[in-house]
Amino acid sequence: MSMAAGLLLRLLCLCSVVAATARPANVSIGALFTFDSVIGRSAKDAIELAVADVNRDAAVLNGTHLTLVAQDTKCSGFVGIIQALQLMEKRVVAVVGPQSSEIAHVVSHVVNELRVPLLSFAATDPTLASAQYAYFIRATHTDLFQMAAVADIVTLYGWREVTVIYVDNDYGRAALDALGDELEAKRCKVSYRAPFPHAADRQTITDMLLQVGMMESRVLVVHATPDSGIDIFAAAHSLGMMANGYVWIATEWLAAALDSSHPADPRTMSLLQGVVTLRQYTPDSDAKRSLISRFAVRQGHNQSQSMNAYGLFAYDAVWMAARAIDQLLDDGSNVSFSEDPRLSGANGSTLHLGALKVFDQGEQLMRKVVLANFTGVTGHVRFGADGSLADPAYEVLNVGGTGVRRVGYWSNRTRLSVMAPGQASTGQQLYSVIWPGETTATPRGWVFPNNGKALRIGVPYRTTYKQFVSKDAGSPDGASGYCIDVFKAAVALLQYPVPVSYVLVGDGVRNPSYSDLVQRVADGKLDAAVGDISIVTNRTRVVDFTQPYVESGLVIVTAVREKPSSAWAFLKPFTWEMWAVTGGFFLFVGTVVWVLEHRSNADFRGSPRNQLVTVFWFSFSTMFFAHRENTVSTLGRMVLIIWLFVVLIINSSYTASLTSILTVQQLSTGIQGLDALIASPDPIGFQVGSFAKNYLMQELGVPESRLRELAINEYASSLQLGPRNGGVAAIVDELPYIELFLSTNCQFRTVGQEFTKSGWGFAFQRDSPLAVDLSTAILTLSENGDLQRIHDKWLSPGQCASQGNDIGADRLNLSSFWGLFLICGIACFIALLIFFARTLRQYCKYHGEGEGNGEGDGEMDPSFPADQRSARRPARLSSIRDLMTFVDMKEAEVKRRKKMYQDGSVQRLDRSMVGSSVSGAPSSSSFSPV
C-alpha cells in the first residue's frame, strides 16, 4: 500500500513538472498604430501577413499560436494612451508600434511599468533611445542617420545654410536638432526654422512659406508626415517656390507617400518636380518580392494601394517578437502575469486599473529581442552596440516626370555613393540631379532676402585721407571714397539686387577703431563693414572677409636728410674684403698665365725686370681687356678665358653699383630697417585705429611705452621733431596710407621692406554667402581693369611719386662673388698641376737620355776646369739647379735637343753652355736666362 502511494506521488510530481514546462497554446501580441494613414494602411496588412506566416512556420513557436490584438491610435496622443491601456488589459507579451514618435513617448511610460516590450517600426525620434525608455525597441532606423545623409547632400553641393520646415512635435523637433548637429560638424548651419502644427490647414502652411520665402536660404529641408507633407508642396507650388533657384530636400516620409500609391497621381507628381528625397534601403530578395505580391493580392480590386518601406519594417518587427518569444519558451520560461499592488486599489479610482497586469517575463523577453539575428524582408536584422538597427542605409531619389529615379545611395559606411551598400565604391557620389525648374545646373542655394530690409553696412567715418572712405553729405548714400566705389562696382556684378544702407561709424573728430567696427559685424549689430579694413588674424576669427581688393602690409617711414656724395665714392661699390681679394686674384692669375706661357711664348720671356713688369701689366690690363700679350698654350688660354669671364661679371657689377651710388639720391637716417627699429629705444608712431599697435606689441615685443598714437596729419611734424624733441623716430603704418603720405611729403622715405603681407577686404558675418559672391566679383574687377581705374580716380600720385624711396645702394661684398673666385682658383690650380706634371715628365725623360750619353755629370766634360771638376757641388743641389734650368728652357729647344739625342748627333752636354746659362752670362745657345 505504501509502495502504491509512493508511485502515485511520483506520477503526480512528474505531471506537475510537465505541465509547468509545457508551451502555452496561445500567446498574444499587440499592434498599435493609426489604421487610416499612409503608414498604417501599409503596416496593417504587413503585420497581419507576418502573424499568418509565423503561425504557418512550424520552426517558430513550435505549436504555440500567435494571436494579434490591434488598436487604432487615430493619430492622437491621448487616444494612443487609452488604446495602449486597453491593449495591456488583454495581456499581450509584446506590442508592435506605434508609428508616431509622439505617441511612442507617452506609451513607453505604460510599457515600462508593465514590462511589455514595445517594438516600433516607424518612430524615428532619436531621443527615444534614451535609457528612460527601457522597454522601447526601435525596429527601424533612427533619424540620426537620415539627417546625416541630408547633411552630406548639402555639403556635396557646397551649400552652407538651410531652412528646415518641420512638424512641430517630438518627431520634428528631435530631427531638427539632429540635423543641426550634423550640419555644424560640416561647418554649415540651419539658418531658419519654420515649424507648423501637426494638423495645419492650407492657410497656416501658406503663411509659414511666405516667411520662408523672405529668407536668403533657398535650400529647404522638409521633415513632415506622409499624410500632411504633400500640402506643403501644394502651397509652395502656388507661391512659385518650386521654380528655378530653389532646392527641396524631403526626408523619407515623401518616399513612403509616393510608394503607397500605384500608379502615382499625376497631379501630385506635378507638384514635386525636382525634389530630392530619401527612402530606407532594403535589398531586393525573394522574400521581399513575395511579400509585396501577396500584399497586392490582399488589396483585391483596390490596386491603388502599395506597400512602402514602413510596411516592410513592420513585417520584420512581428518576426522579431515571434523569434524572441520562441527563444524564451525554449529556455523553459512560462508566460505569466501578476498584479501591480499600486494599481489594484487605484485609490478609489473607477478606471479599473486593476485589470492591468505586469508581464513577469518581460525583462527576459527584452534581452531576447535585442539579440535578434536573422534575415528578413528588410535585409539582415540585428542590433548594434548602441541599440539601433545595424547598417543603416538610404536610397537618394529624385522626383521627375511621372515617377522617381534613384541617383545614389547613402550608408553609414560608404556615405554617398552611386553603388549599393555592400558594393565597392567607384568614387562618384551621386548621379546628376534635375532640380526645380528642370535644370541640371546646381542651384546657388541662396538669394538676397526678400524681406524689405536693406543690408546695414558699417562705413568708417575717416577724418584724414578721405580719399579712401568717409562721410559725404552730397552723396545720396552718405558716404564716398575709393572703398565705396569698389564695393558698388562689385555689387553691380551680382546677379541679384542687394539693397544697402550705409551706417557711419565714428565721431568725425578722429578715425574710428577698426577692430571695434569688425566686432560690431561679429555681434550682429551690422551686416557688413566696407572700408579700408585690413585682413588680420584676429579679425578673421570672428567675421568672414572677401577677396582682398588692395594689397597691403606694414612699412616703416622715417625722416631723412640729404648726404652729399663723397670724393671717394668710387671705392664704395666694393667692401674692403672684395677689393683685397679682387686685387690678389689679378696678380695670382697673371702669375699663373706667366708660368703657363713662359716656356712657349716670347712675350713672357726676357730679363727678370721685364718679366716682372709683364706679369703686373698683363694682370691689371685684363681688367679693361687691353692686354697686348697673346697666349699660345692651351692651358694659358683656358685660364685666361675663365678669368676674363670673372672680370666681365665684376666690371658689370661695379659699374651698376657705382652708377646707383652716384645717381640715386643718398640719404642717411638712424633707422635702416625693422631690426634697427626694434633695437632702438626711440618712440614709434602708428595711426589711430590701426592694427599696427597690437602687431608691434604682440608679435615684435615692442613695449607699449615706446608707441605713440598719431593722426596722419601729425606724421610730418612728429617725424621732423624727432625722438629728442618730443617726436618719433619712425612711423609704422600700412603701405596704401604711406604711399599717399609720401606722394606729398618728399622729405620722408620708407626704409627696409614690408614686414607683413595682408590686404583690405569687406567684412561680413560668419558664413555669409555674400562674402563668397563678392570675392568672385572683386576678382572680375581686377581682371577687367576696373579696379585699377577706380584706384587711379581716387588715389592719383602726387608730386613726389616719381622720386624713388631707396635709401642707397648696398655695397657689394665677397659673399656675392666667392663662387666665381672659387671656379677661377680651381681652374688655375688644375692648369698648374697639369703644367708641372708634364714638365717633370719631360725633365725625367730628357735627364735620362743625357746620362746615357755621358752627360749626367759635369766632371766627365774635359772642357770643365780641373778645379771645378774637383769642387763640384752636392748631387741634390745640382739636380734642383738642373731642373730649374730645364723649366726655364724654351719648349722648342727641348723638342730640338730631344730629337738630336734620338738621332745620335749630340754625344755630350755642353757644360760650358750650361754653366754660362746658370751664371747669367750671355750665351749663343738657345737657353735664355730667367
Side-chain angles (χ1 to χ4, degrees):
M1 186 69 179
S2 59
M3 183 179 295
L7 290 174
L8 181 59
L9 182 60
R10 290 179 180 179
L11 182 60
L12 290 174
C13 291
L14 181 61
C15 291
S16 63
V17 170
V18 171
T21 58
R23 284 174 171 263
N26 184 73
V27 173
S28 297
I29 64 170
L32 198 63
F33 56 92
T34 301
F35 292 172
D36 188 18
S37 66
V38 172
I39 296 177
R41 286 189 292 269
S42 182
K44 183 175 183 299
D45 286 341
I47 292 173
E48 292 174 354
L49 287 171
V51 172
D53 291 344
V54 168
N55 288 328
R56 277 197 302 269
D57 193 339
V60 182
L61 294 181
N62 194 18
T64 299
H65 188 267
L66 187 66
T67 302
L68 175 66
V69 181
Q71 298 289 137
D72 187 2
T73 60
K74 299 187 182 299
C75 241
S76 168
F78 174 73
V79 174
I81 295 175
I82 302 300
Q83 295 298 326
L85 293 174
Q86 292 180 358
L87 199 60
M88 296 301 125
E89 291 180 351
K90 299 175 182 178
R91 301 191 179 185
V92 295
V93 298
V95 177
V96 176
Q99 72 185 55
S100 167
S101 297
E102 186 177 14
I103 297 176
H105 275 282
V106 293
V107 173
S108 291
H109 294 287
V110 176
V111 298
N112 279 356
E113 296 297 328
L114 302 180
R115 302 177 191 172
V116 177
L118 186 65
L119 288 76
S120 177
F121 55 87
T124 57
D125 181 357
T127 61
L128 287 168
S130 169
Q132 177 184 6
Y133 308 106
Y135 281 83
F136 176 83
I137 300 173
R138 197 192 316 275
T140 187
H141 298 303
T142 171
D143 277 339
L144 285 177
F145 301 113
Q146 182 176 204
M147 296 307 157
V150 172
D152 281 350
I153 294 173
V154 171
T155 307
L156 173 64
Y157 294 105
W159 300 314
R160 302 291 298 275
E161 299 182 5
V162 302
T163 294
V164 180
I165 302 171
Y166 63 98
V167 58
D168 194 10
N169 56 21
D170 294 335
Y171 161 74
R173 290 188 293 269
L176 172 67
D177 293 339
L179 178 59
D181 292 341
E182 291 292 337
L183 290 174
E184 184 177 357
K186 300 177 182 297
R187 298 199 64 183
C188 304
K189 68 176 183 179
V190 176
S191 60
Y192 184 72
R193 304 181 179 192
F196 63 93
H198 172 68
D201 56 19
R202 179 68 174 270
Q203 186 58 47
T204 301
I205 294 175
T206 300
D207 293 341
M208 177 267 296
L209 290 178
L210 287 173
Q211 293 296 321
V212 169
M214 290 190 291
M215 300 297 112
E216 64 181 19
S217 175
R218 285 295 182 263
V219 181
L220 311 177
V221 178
V222 182
H223 189 61
T225 62
D227 299 284
S228 60
I230 300 297
D231 293 339
I232 296 174
F233 289 101
H237 190 273
S238 65
L239 294 174
M241 297 176 66
M242 299 300 297
N244 189 8
Y246 283 88
V247 176
W248 290 88
I249 302 175
T251 53
E252 59 185 355
W253 66 267
L254 179 57
L258 296 178
D259 291 341
S260 298
S261 59
H262 182 77
D265 184 1
R267 290 177 298 178
T268 300
M269 299 304 296
S270 65
L271 302 175
L272 303 172
Q273 296 299 300
V275 176
V276 174
T277 185
L278 299 175
R279 176 201 287 155
Q280 295 191 71
Y281 171 71
T282 55
D284 289 334
S285 63
D286 293 338
K288 176 181 174 181
R289 285 189 291 269
S290 175
L291 177 62
I292 294 175
S293 177
R294 291 159 54 203
F295 179 90
V297 171
R298 285 176 62 96
Q299 300 305 308
H301 297 290
N302 184 20
Q303 294 296 323
S304 61
Q305 183 68 28
S306 181
M307 179 173 287
N308 54 44
Y310 291 110
L312 300 177
F313 282 96
Y315 181 89
D316 279 350
V318 174
W319 275 94
M320 197 182 300
R323 291 176 181 272
I325 295 170
D326 182 55
Q327 294 173 11
L328 178 70
L329 297 178
D330 282 345
D331 289 345
S333 297
N334 199 358
V335 175
S336 60
F337 295 85
S338 59
E339 292 186 356
D340 187 343
R342 295 172 299 174
L343 299 177
S344 57
N347 297 325
S349 173
T350 59
L351 294 178
H352 304 290
L353 297 180
L356 301 177
K357 306 296 182 182
V358 177
F359 180 30
D360 297 331
Q361 291 78 31
E363 186 176 353
Q364 301 175 45
L365 184 61
M366 269 291 301
R367 289 197 294 267
K368 301 295 183 184
V369 172
V370 297
L371 293 177
N373 191 353
F374 65 95
T375 300
V377 295
T378 59
H380 190 194
V381 179
R382 63 183 180 88
F383 290 93
D386 59 351
S388 300
L389 280 181
D391 302 326
Y394 294 87
E395 297 176 80
V396 183
L397 308 176
N398 182 208
V399 181
T402 59
V404 298
R405 64 186 185 96
R406 184 170 52 234
V407 296
Y409 300 88
W410 183 94
S411 73
N412 64 334
R413 296 180 183 271
T414 60
R415 314 303 284 189
L416 290 174
S417 174
V418 296
M419 304 302 293
Q423 299 182 15
S425 176
T426 61
Q428 183 177 355
Q429 295 178 290
L430 288 179
Y431 291 118
S432 62
V433 174
I434 300 176
W435 304 102
E438 298 183 357
T439 177
T440 57
T442 302
R444 184 173 61 243
W446 80 283
V447 294
F448 192 80
N450 188 24
N451 54 12
K453 294 182 180 179
L455 277 180
R456 297 164 299 168
I457 304 295
V459 175
Y461 189 175
R462 290 193 61 88
T463 58
T464 56
Y465 286 172
K466 298 182 179 182
Q467 298 97 318
F468 292 109
V469 60
S470 189
K471 179 181 179 181
D472 186 357
S475 172
D477 299 319
S480 64
Y482 167 65
C483 303
I484 298 296
D485 279 7
V486 172
F487 178 72
K488 289 180 178 179
V491 169
L493 294 177
L494 300 180
Q495 299 178 355
Y496 46 89
V498 180
V500 298
S501 173
Y502 295 107
V503 179
L504 290 170
V505 177
D507 55 11
V509 177
R510 55 186 296 173
N511 293 334
S513 170
Y514 283 59
S515 296
D516 293 343
L517 174 61
V518 171
Q519 190 60 46
R520 290 194 187 188
V521 177
D523 295 339
K525 298 177 182 178
L526 296 171
D527 296 312
V530 171
D532 46 337
I533 305 170
S534 296
I535 304 173
V536 294
T537 304
N538 290 338
R539 296 172 184 174
T540 58
R541 293 186 178 130
V542 295
V543 296
D544 284 346
F545 280 95
T546 62
Q547 171 79 15
Y549 60 91
V550 170
E551 295 297 328
S552 180
L554 291 179
V555 294
I556 303 170
V557 63
T558 184
V560 292
R561 58 183 176 83
E562 281 196 34
K563 186 172 101 174
S565 298
S566 170
W568 301 97
F570 67 91
L571 294 176
K572 289 187 177 180
F574 290 164
T575 60
W576 70 267
E577 296 93 343
M578 183 66 182
W579 280 116
V581 172
T582 303
F585 254 85
F586 271 108
L587 294 175
F588 172 68
V589 172
T591 303
V592 170
V593 173
W594 176 83
V595 171
L596 298 175
E597 294 289 321
H598 177 69
R599 300 188 67 198
S600 56
N601 192 339
D603 291 340
F604 291 88
R605 300 186 70 85
S607 66
R609 177 177 175 276
N610 289 337
Q611 293 186 56
L612 185 62
V613 171
T614 299
V615 170
F616 274 91
W617 165 255
F618 180 83
S619 297
F620 291 101
S621 63
T622 57
M623 180 187 302
F624 311 102
F625 305 98
H627 53 283
R628 64 178 180 226
E629 294 81 7
N630 294 322
T631 53
V632 296
S633 67
T634 303
L635 294 176
R637 289 175 175 175
M638 180 191 74
V639 170
L640 185 59
I641 288 174
I642 295 176
W643 174 241
L644 290 178
F645 175 74
V646 174
V647 170
L648 176 65
I649 299 299
I650 293 175
N651 277 344
S652 301
S653 302
Y654 176 84
T655 303
S657 181
L658 182 61
T659 302
S660 177
I661 289 174
L662 296 177
T663 58
V664 175
Q665 192 176 31
Q666 296 300 299
L667 306 168
S668 63
T669 179
I671 303 298
Q672 295 291 342
L674 180 61
D675 293 337
L677 180 67
I678 297 174
S680 170
D682 296 332
I684 304 170
F686 66 92
Q687 185 183 172
V688 176
S690 172
F691 73 95
K693 177 181 180 180
N694 289 336
Y695 185 87
L696 291 170
M697 293 175 55
Q698 298 174 7
E699 302 297 331
L700 301 182
V702 177
E704 187 176 6
S705 59
R706 290 184 56 195
L707 302 180
R708 303 288 187 270
E709 190 177 58
L710 302 172
I712 290 183
N713 53 12
E714 299 174 332
Y715 280 9
S717 59
S718 296
L719 288 172
Q720 288 172 341
L721 286 174
R724 302 295 180 266
N725 299 313
V728 295
I731 291 175
V732 174
D733 204 351
E734 295 179 72
L735 183 59
Y737 301 122
I738 296 302
E739 287 179 341
L740 203 56
F741 170 72
L742 295 180
S743 67
T744 55
N745 294 272
C746 306
Q747 67 273 33
F748 307 107
R749 293 289 183 272
T750 59
V751 294
Q753 304 294 325
E754 290 183 64
F755 51 92
T756 65
K757 289 293 183 182
S758 61
W760 292 353
F762 305 134
F764 288 86
Q765 294 180 7
R766 296 301 298 267
D767 301 324
S768 172
L770 262 177
V772 178
D773 285 359
L774 280 179
S775 293
T776 303
I778 290 172
L779 289 175
T780 303
L781 291 175
S782 177
E783 292 169 358
N784 62 23
D786 288 344
L787 201 59
Q788 185 61 42
R789 282 189 285 272
I790 298 173
H791 179 277
D792 295 341
K793 170 187 173 183
W794 288 96
L795 309 175
S796 57
Q799 58 183 358
C800 301
S802 60
Q803 299 185 14
N805 289 332
D806 295 329
I807 300 306
D810 292 334
R811 304 180 70 186
L812 300 176
N813 53 50
L814 185 60
S815 62
S816 302
F817 298 93
W818 71 267
L820 286 172
F821 288 127
L822 178 64
I823 294 173
C824 185
I826 291 175
C828 292
F829 175 77
I830 293 174
L832 289 174
L833 187 64
I834 295 174
F835 172 79
F836 283 117
R838 188 179 66 179
T839 303
L840 185 61
R841 177 174 174 273
Q842 289 178 346
Y843 171 75
C844 293
K845 187 174 183 180
Y846 177 83
H847 187 66
E849 291 174 349
E851 287 180 345
N853 292 281
E855 298 175 355
D857 197 341
E859 65 181 352
M860 297 179 64
D861 189 351
S863 65
F864 273 85
D867 57 342
Q868 290 185 19
R869 291 197 302 270
S870 61
R872 67 180 186 273
R873 296 181 181 184
R876 181 183 301 274
L877 183 60
S878 176
S879 297
I880 294 174
R881 196 66 174 267
D882 290 346
L883 176 60
M884 296 300 296
T885 302
F886 180 80
V887 171
D888 186 61
M889 186 184 298
K890 287 185 177 182
E891 186 77 20
E893 181 66 18
V894 172
K895 293 180 180 180
R896 186 180 67 82
R897 287 184 171 270
K898 180 179 179 182
K899 183 177 182 182
M900 292 175 62
Y901 287 139
Q902 292 174 349
D903 295 342
S905 59
V906 178
Q907 299 298 322
R908 67 182 181 85
L909 183 65
D910 189 348
R911 289 296 183 181
S912 62
M913 185 183 302
V914 173
S916 62
S917 174
V918 171
S919 63
S923 175
S924 60
S925 70
S926 61
F927 289 90
S928 300
V930 177

